[in-house]
């Protein structure tokens, strides 16, 4: 089977051909500016390890002081929400163990929510609005 759109990479596995990219953003609790220096670098490493372990791909990654913006390509059988859950849960556990000062600043590292949008010609404005609203969560 040939797909006309050659700019998009399709994955093929038994009984399934797919290309599912999502733009995702989520924030630390109270939008605290905690992702700096070694913590930001370690967070990137954790995210890459989690993506390899759970067989999804991080196409783009921006770690800002007070939020994370990712573009993820994932298997529809696993689902984008499972990808986000794995990223948040694993990173929260490891970061608190490796950087105990985080626990004194935040009861939980991540807010419960996330912004998710399919990739493509997407306006970043709704995502930035979401990030701004997380300050009081």
């Amino acid at each position: 089977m040939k797909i006309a759109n050659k700019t998009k990479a399709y994955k093929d596995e038994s009984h399934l051909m797919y290309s599912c990219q999502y733009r995702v953003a989520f924030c630390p609790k109270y939008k605290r500016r905690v992702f700096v220096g070694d913590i930001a670098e370690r967070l990137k490493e954790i995210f890459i390890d989690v993506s390899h372990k759970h067989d999804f791909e991080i196409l783009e990654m921006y770690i800002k002081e007070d939020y994370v913006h990712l573009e993820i390509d994932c298997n529809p059988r696993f689902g984008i929400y499972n990808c986000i859950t794995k990223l948040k849960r694993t990173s929260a556990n490891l970061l608190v163990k490796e950087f105990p000062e985080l626990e004194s600043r935040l009861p939980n590292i991540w807010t419960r929510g996330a912004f998710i949008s399919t990739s493509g010609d997407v306006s970043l404005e709704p995502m930035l609005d979401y990030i701004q609203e997380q300050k009081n969560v």
Side-chain angles (χ1 to χ4, degrees):
M1 174 181 204
K2 277 196 166 188
I3 305 295
N5 185 351
K6 295 184 183 207
T7 60
K8 203 170 195 182
Y10 287 85
K11 294 186 173 64
D12 193 10
E13 46 178 71
S14 180
H15 306 290
L16 181 65
M17 180 178 265
Y18 66 91
S19 178
C20 299
Q21 287 96 33
Y22 300 90
R23 289 207 178 271
V24 174
F26 45 90
C27 303
K29 200 81 165 163
Y30 311 118
K31 211 162 170 273
R32 297 265 167 85
R33 297 175 176 274
V34 294
F35 302 132
V36 294
D38 291 341
I39 295 173
E41 287 304 312
R42 182 62 179 127
L43 184 59
K44 287 179 187 177
E45 292 170 3
I46 293 168
F47 281 0
I48 290 167
D49 290 345
V50 170
S51 71
H52 290 143
K53 181 178 177 184
H54 295 285
D55 199 28
F56 62 90
E57 189 176 356
I58 297 175
L59 304 172
E60 292 179 17
M61 181 180 341
Y62 302 102
I63 309 280
K64 302 297 182 187
E65 293 176 341
D66 57 352
Y67 73 93
V68 172
H69 174 205
L70 305 168
E71 185 168 356
I72 296 175
D73 188 347
C74 71
N75 186 321
R77 289 182 179 143
F78 188 65
I80 188 63
Y81 195 75
N82 282 329
C83 295
I84 294 168
T85 301
K86 297 293 183 190
L87 290 168
K88 284 181 168 183
R89 186 173 291 149
T90 304
S91 62
N93 289 336
L94 291 174
L95 288 176
V96 167
K97 285 179 187 171
E98 296 174 25
F99 302 95
E101 65 272 17
L102 283 175
E103 197 166 22
S104 64
R105 292 191 66 195
L106 294 167
N108 301 316
I109 290 183
W110 302 109
T111 60
R112 284 192 237 179
F115 174 88
I116 303 170
S117 176
T118 54
S119 259
D121 294 330
V122 176
S123 166
L124 293 180
E125 195 171 311
M127 181 185 69
L128 296 174
D129 290 343
Y130 170 81
I131 291 168
Q132 285 304 317
E133 290 172 10
Q134 296 306 299
K135 219 172 211 168
N136 300 322
V137 175

